[in-house]
Amino acid sequence: SLLGSILLTYASLAFYGYYSNAGRFYLFWILSSGYPLSLAIMVIVTRIAAHLWYPYEDEREIAHRLDLPLHIEFHINRFSSFAMMLLSQITLAVAVHPEQGFGDINSLYMAASVAFFLLIAVKLFLFDVDYYDVEDHAIRRSVESALAWLILFPLGVGCLALTGSGINLMLHSVAESITQPVDVPFAQWLTCNSLSAFLCIVSLQRLLHRVPYTRLLEETNHEAQARTLYTIHYVQIGCQLTAAMFFTALQSLEWSCLSVMLAIAVTLISLVIINLVDEIVLLNDVRMHPAAQIIHENNVKCMKEKKNQ
């Protein structure tokens, strides 16, 4: 049903964009709205049909009757694989051959080195600084949080792809490309704004999840430790939004492309370190170990139940 709603929505939008003069000019933006519109249409149609078929049932009973079980671990892994594929756009930006026609080979290697550390920082920021138990993920929390997360995800990884394109342009500018003249203000604008939007989207996605470990800490009467993690969590989100504002302002400072890339890499590495603070607190506070043990036991229990089914 999801695939069908997506295809029908895209087909109708493409039809409108092609046969309408105004729609033809905004065809890219019209088609970009197809994914979130298809999700919204699917949810609305499902809710209307549910109330027509089961007019006297409770909301929870209707959801239990109609909702299909969702293998959340599978979906999270598939989304992570998709993000890793788009992260390769930054990898391709670094993979520039020096014989392609550059006037300054030394600057090329310097810019490629900075871009490599930037790539590592983005990878660590995406995959290695946060852990979410399945029960705490936005997809599991509610229909609304799942819908919001599913809409935000492609926007976030799309910003990553644009960031890779911007880094490639700045690298060619630093190395004084002969075959590919670069509009330096546009290259900095694209990179900085894409990264800024990416950090804002990631911050919104973090707000949709439950704060890691806090649920089980509260269930085991460790409220003080849970409050500590809440505080760290919101400070980390504040740092991400501050970095997003810094990236937006960075393009107006009239720095060289190499300086902009270096500032971005240092900022992202700093965000990785800041986002590891909660993990350090978890490791150092022995009173938080029972929550980690409970998470492990719950995961083992769920795996056994799935095998028995």
Side-chain angles (χ1 to χ4, degrees), residues 192-257:
C192 294
N193 284 323
S194 299
L195 267 178
S196 177
F198 168 72
L199 289 177
C200 291
I201 291 170
V202 169
S203 299
L204 289 174
Q205 286 179 307
R206 289 188 67 175
L207 291 173
L208 294 173
H209 303 299
R210 290 191 181 95
V211 180
Y213 294 102
T214 54
R215 174 177 54 86
L216 293 173
L217 283 170
E218 291 168 349
E219 290 177 0
T220 55
N221 299 319
H222 291 82
E223 287 82 5
Q225 288 72 31
R227 286 195 297 270
T228 301
L229 290 184
Y230 277 120
T231 303
I232 295 172
H233 180 76
Y234 292 119
V235 168
Q236 290 170 342
I237 292 176
C239 291
Q240 291 176 189
L241 295 175
T242 303
M245 290 187 289
F246 170 68
F247 290 153
T248 303
L250 189 61
Q251 57 186 313
S252 61
L253 298 180
E254 298 183 356
W255 288 1
S256 66
C257 286

Side-chain angles (χ1 to χ4, degrees), residues 165-166 169-170 182-193 251:
S165 300
L169 290 174
M170 289 203 294
V182 177
D183 184 353
V184 174
F186 173 75
Q188 295 187 4
W189 176 87
L190 179 63
T191 306
C192 294
N193 284 323
Q251 57 186 313

Side-chain angles (χ1 to χ4, degrees), residues 19 31 50 54 96 117 122 128 150 159 255 259 280 286 298 308:
Y19 288 101
L31 292 178
Y54 305 103
V96 177
F117 284 106
V122 173
D128 299 316
L150 290 171
C159 290
W255 288 1
S259 299
I280 296 172
V286 295
N298 286 345
N308 294 332

Side-chain angles (χ1 to χ4, degrees), residues 68-234:
L68 293 174
L70 186 63
H71 196 311
I72 296 179
E73 297 98 325
F74 174 82
H75 281 77
I76 294 173
N77 290 333
R78 296 288 76 76
F79 280 122
S80 298
S81 300
F82 183 57
M84 185 63 76
M85 290 172 59
L86 288 180
L87 193 61
S88 63
Q89 185 71 19
I90 302 179
T91 308
L92 293 174
V94 181
V96 177
H97 199 281
E99 295 182 358
Q100 291 179 353
F102 296 98
D104 191 346
I105 300 299
N106 292 330
S107 296
L108 172 65
Y109 283 115
M110 290 177 60
S113 301
V114 173
F116 175 76
F117 284 106
L118 192 154
L119 169 66
I120 297 299
V122 173
K123 184 266 177 188
L124 292 174
F125 182 79
L126 272 176
F127 300 107
D128 299 316
V129 297
D130 282 322
Y131 167 76
Y132 290 101
D133 188 53
V134 174
E135 297 297 326
D136 297 328
H137 200 277
I139 296 178
R140 177 60 62 86
R141 289 190 67 185
S142 65
V143 174
E144 291 76 14
S145 63
L147 180 63
W149 191 87
L150 290 171
I151 290 174
L152 288 172
F153 180 82
L155 299 178
V157 294
C159 290
L160 276 183
L162 292 175
T163 300
S165 300
I167 291 173
N168 183 267
L169 290 174
M170 289 203 294
L171 192 146
H172 279 78
S173 172
V174 171
E176 300 177 4
S177 175
I178 299 172
T179 59
Q180 182 179 332
V182 177
D183 184 353
V184 174
F186 173 75
Q188 295 187 4
W189 176 87
L190 179 63
T191 306
C192 294
N193 284 323
S194 299
L195 267 178
S196 177
F198 168 72
L199 289 177
C200 291
I201 291 170
V202 169
S203 299
L204 289 174
Q205 286 179 307
R206 289 188 67 175
L207 291 173
L208 294 173
H209 303 299
R210 290 191 181 95
V211 180
Y213 294 102
T214 54
R215 174 177 54 86
L216 293 173
L217 283 170
E218 291 168 349
E219 290 177 0
T220 55
N221 299 319
H222 291 82
E223 287 82 5
Q225 288 72 31
R227 286 195 297 270
T228 301
L229 290 184
Y230 277 120
T231 303
I232 295 172
H233 180 76
Y234 292 119

Side-chain angles (χ1 to χ4, degrees), residues 280-298:
I280 296 172
V281 171
L282 285 169
L283 289 173
N284 290 335
D285 195 335
V286 295
R287 289 171 294 183
M288 294 191 182
H289 291 178
Q293 182 64 28
I294 291 174
I295 288 178
H296 175 71
E297 293 174 356
N298 286 345

